Amino acid sequence: MATTKSGDPPSYVITPTSEFLSSLEVDRPLLRYDLAGSVAHARMLGEVGLLAPDEVRALESGLRAVDLEARTGTFPWRSELEDVHTNVEVRLTELAGPVAGKLHTGRSRNDQVALDERLYLRATVHDLAGRLVRLEEALLRRATEERSTPIPGYTHLQRAQLVTVAHVLLAHFWRFERDLDRLWATAARANVSPLGAGALAGSTLPLDPARTAQELGFDRSFENSLDAVSDRDPLAELLFDLALFAVHASALGEEIVLYASKEFGYLERSPVLGSGSSLMPQKRNPDAAELVRGKAGRSIGDLVALLTVLKGLPLAYDRDLQEDKAPVLDAVRTATAVLDALGDLVGGIRFDAERLGLAARDPELLATDVAEALVRHGTPFRAAHEAVGAHFRAGSDPADLTPLRRSFPSAAPELDAVRDPATAVARRRTSGGPAPDAVAQQLELARARLAAHAASLSSLGRKVGLVEELLNEEEK
Ligand code: ARG
């Protein structure tokens, strides 16, 4: 049987432009997935009679030997072999002998890379989702601690109405919650195997794509081979999910930056926030939150980079598609770092109770509450708005409601009740509102979501674990 001599590059990768063509820098992380996909492919070839049982065994043990080298850092990567797929094939030839030449039966690097990327995506979503859950848990813990702490709420960055610290933290929680939902949906839609599509048009050999799909924990195999080798929707979706997550993270980062400034003063100065100035001895900068804010630029750039590569590509495989990996790796690395940094920040920041108390006692924050007190005693809202607006514009002590009490005597007792921030915010009991009672319900909803995520994590974890199982399984 003719095969490449051990160690020789197959002729298809020999070209003067090989350095430019190489994707090794970005596809090394796909190695484990490539190996697991190959185990599944070899087994399928055996089942349909294209390989003899001893050939399947030899390939499987060769692939596991490659995996061992990869795990122990002894795999001899060779840049002239263009990519992870050919590196594995050549090394397998060295370890297992000529039978390695049969592994590529009915398979192209085109369906192979698409498969590897989907396996990578599944594992990556599992990892990121776990980190996102931990960030949500941190937010929830802090929200529980600060359930009744009043803080000014802002619109247009102007003091607007009282809310609670818990309510602010939970607002960020629900954003991240939607990010998590998007990640689950992305992984679910991506769970279709492209293996068997070949280069673009399947094969004349009796392949069984459903079999490899099942072995690798996919819901089904591709519907159309041309689509299967060109579809990068899962990666584009992942990048969108991570870009929007980064935008959400940047907003939380911005809030921490503002709260840490002396102008707000809501956070205690602490090394948790970041480092100091090399020149100004008094400084403690909110670097971590700023960097979280800044990293969003990268993540959005990564999404735009991939969409730009995909735009206008003709069907099936084009080498442009190799450019899908760098933005994905960058966005995943960025999101991982941001998730961990935010988790530390959220867990480590301390609210300055005194400054918060002072800010929350700003009488302007209760202007709407005063107007609503008048409404409760029969004044039309528009008239109440005018009267209270005039009071706050009058220039006298805004906390002294005597003039309003005189104009609206029946509302007078209620006006007294809205003066203390804690009492006032406790009245904002609208479902989904900031009052501690309403927040208690929110916390319950949030805890239920976290419990549901634990189940999703373990079910995705089982699929992710199939890769390890295929590589660890004792030979049959
Ligand atoms: N390195 C390639 C990529 O990342 C693998 C597929 C190569 N296919 C090909 N026909 N040259 O997309």
Side-chain angles (χ1 to χ4, degrees):
M1 177 188 49
T3 182
T4 40
K5 204 171 106 255
S6 167
D8 283 352
S11 64
Y12 69 85
V13 294
I14 299 175
T15 157
T17 185
S18 68
E19 204 179 311
F20 180 62
L21 295 186
S22 172
S23 55
L24 262 192
E25 211 178 290
V26 286
D27 63 17
R28 282 174 204 231
L30 299 181
L31 179 61
R32 297 186 68 63
Y33 310 110
D34 201 72
L35 294 170
S38 287
V39 170
H41 184 64
R43 286 185 183 174
M44 180 277 291
L45 291 176
E47 285 175 24
V48 302
L50 288 166
L51 290 180
D54 62 314
E55 292 177 316
V56 178
R57 272 194 297 275
L59 286 173
E60 285 199 28
S61 76
L63 288 163
R64 291 199 184 95
V66 174
D67 179 47
L68 183 65
E69 290 186 336
R71 278 187 284 117
T72 52
T74 56
F75 182 82
W77 291 103
R78 290 169 56 186
S79 59
E80 77 278 17
L81 297 182
E82 205 171 287
D83 55 27
V84 63
H85 323 292
T86 304
N87 265 271
V88 168
E89 188 176 330
V90 169
R91 186 62 184 144
L92 186 67
T93 308
E94 290 169 346
L95 295 173
V99 67
K102 292 200 170 187
L103 181 59
H104 222 55
T105 307
R107 190 174 65 165
S108 157
R109 286 185 293 166
N110 298 353
D111 56 347
Q112 199 175 350
V113 71
L115 174 77
D116 295 0
E117 289 180 331
R118 284 180 193 237
L119 293 172
Y120 163 87
L121 179 135
R122 227 163 53 177
T124 299
V125 165
H126 184 259
D127 181 75
L128 289 170
R131 289 173 205 269
L132 202 37
V133 164
R134 285 195 287 284
L135 172 58
E136 289 192 356
E137 285 168 350
L139 282 166
L140 217 57
R141 267 196 302 278
R142 297 314 303 269
T144 307
E145 286 163 24
E146 308 287 352
R147 187 163 78 91
S148 329
T149 315
I151 184 174
Y154 297 79
T155 61
H156 311 267
L157 206 52
Q158 308 283 317
R159 282 188 184 172
Q161 295 176 337
L162 272 179
V163 295
T164 41
V165 171
H167 201 53
V168 173
L169 295 172
L170 289 170
H172 291 287
F173 174 96
W174 294 112
R175 289 177 164 190
F176 292 137
E177 209 16 59
R178 293 191 295 276
D179 293 332
L180 202 38
D181 272 345
R182 268 183 288 272
L183 283 176
W184 295 136
T186 294
R189 257 191 301 277
N191 208 35
V192 176
S193 172
L195 197 58
L200 73 162
S203 174
T204 61
L205 299 167
L207 306 180
D208 186 356
R211 185 73 193 92
T212 39
Q214 184 202 21
E215 186 106 61
L216 291 161
F218 288 104
D219 298 329
R220 58 177 194 281
S221 65
F222 61 94
E223 294 85 4
N224 178 307
S225 61
L226 292 170
D227 180 40
V229 294
S230 60
D231 178 14
R232 295 296 183 271
D233 292 5
L235 298 181
E237 283 189 37
L238 176 67
L239 288 186
F240 173 76
D241 300 346
L242 297 185
L244 190 52
F245 158 73
V247 167
H248 291 157
S250 77
L252 174 54
E254 168 68 357
E255 221 123 275
I256 293 173
V257 170
L258 288 173
Y259 286 3
S261 75
K262 200 160 188 175
E263 279 64 22
F264 282 76
Y266 298 164
L267 295 179
E268 290 175 8
R269 271 188 216 180
S270 128
V272 162
L273 292 170
S275 49
S277 161
S278 58
L279 189 146
M280 298 166 281
Q282 85 286 10
K283 289 271 295 259
R284 182 54 73 176
N285 301 319
D287 307 81
E290 291 172 288
L291 209 44
V292 164
R293 194 176 58 185
K295 296 259 187 210
R298 240 173 203 272
S299 308
I300 294 166
D302 290 327
L303 169 64
V304 174
L306 179 63
L307 290 176
T308 310
V309 168
L310 297 178
K311 185 202 165 289
L313 276 189
L315 269 178
Y317 185 83
D318 303 278
R319 195 57 177 261
D320 317 44
L321 288 173
Q322 181 165 298
E323 284 298 311
D324 62 354
K325 289 166 209 62
V328 169
L329 293 183
D330 187 63
V332 168
R333 205 181 311 117
T334 304
T336 306
V338 165
L339 280 164
D340 293 350
L342 266 185
D344 290 347
L345 265 176
V346 168
I349 50 176
R350 292 282 158 260
F351 290 93
D352 184 327
E354 201 177 312
R355 287 291 301 263
L356 268 184
L358 200 65
R361 281 195 296 281
D362 180 347
E364 286 195 8
L365 288 166
L366 297 180
T368 318
D369 304 50
V370 171
E372 286 177 357
L374 301 186
V375 163
R376 238 189 303 269
H377 292 273
T379 310
F381 179 76
R382 193 49 61 214
H385 184 284
E386 291 300 325
V388 176
H391 169 78
F392 278 91
R393 282 190 299 271
S396 50
D397 175 8
D400 179 7
L401 300 178
T402 314
L404 287 170
R405 223 182 262 112
R406 275 204 205 102
S407 313
F408 302 90
S410 66
E414 180 153 355
L415 291 182
D416 292 328
V418 296
R419 303 192 47 183
D420 163 58
T423 318
V425 80
R427 290 158 61 106
R428 303 198 148 272
R429 244 180 253 113
T430 312
S431 161
D437 286 354
V439 165
Q441 281 174 26
Q442 231 187 116
L443 284 167
E444 240 168 78
L445 290 173
R447 284 189 197 108
R449 295 295 303 155
L450 283 178
H453 293 318
S456 308
L457 267 177
S458 70
S459 107
L460 184 58
R462 276 192 294 279
K463 289 176 193 148
V464 171
L466 287 175
V467 165
E468 306 309 310
E469 281 173 32
L470 281 167
L471 294 176
N472 293 335
E473 243 168 64
E474 285 310 308
E475 283 153 53
K476 292 175 189 157

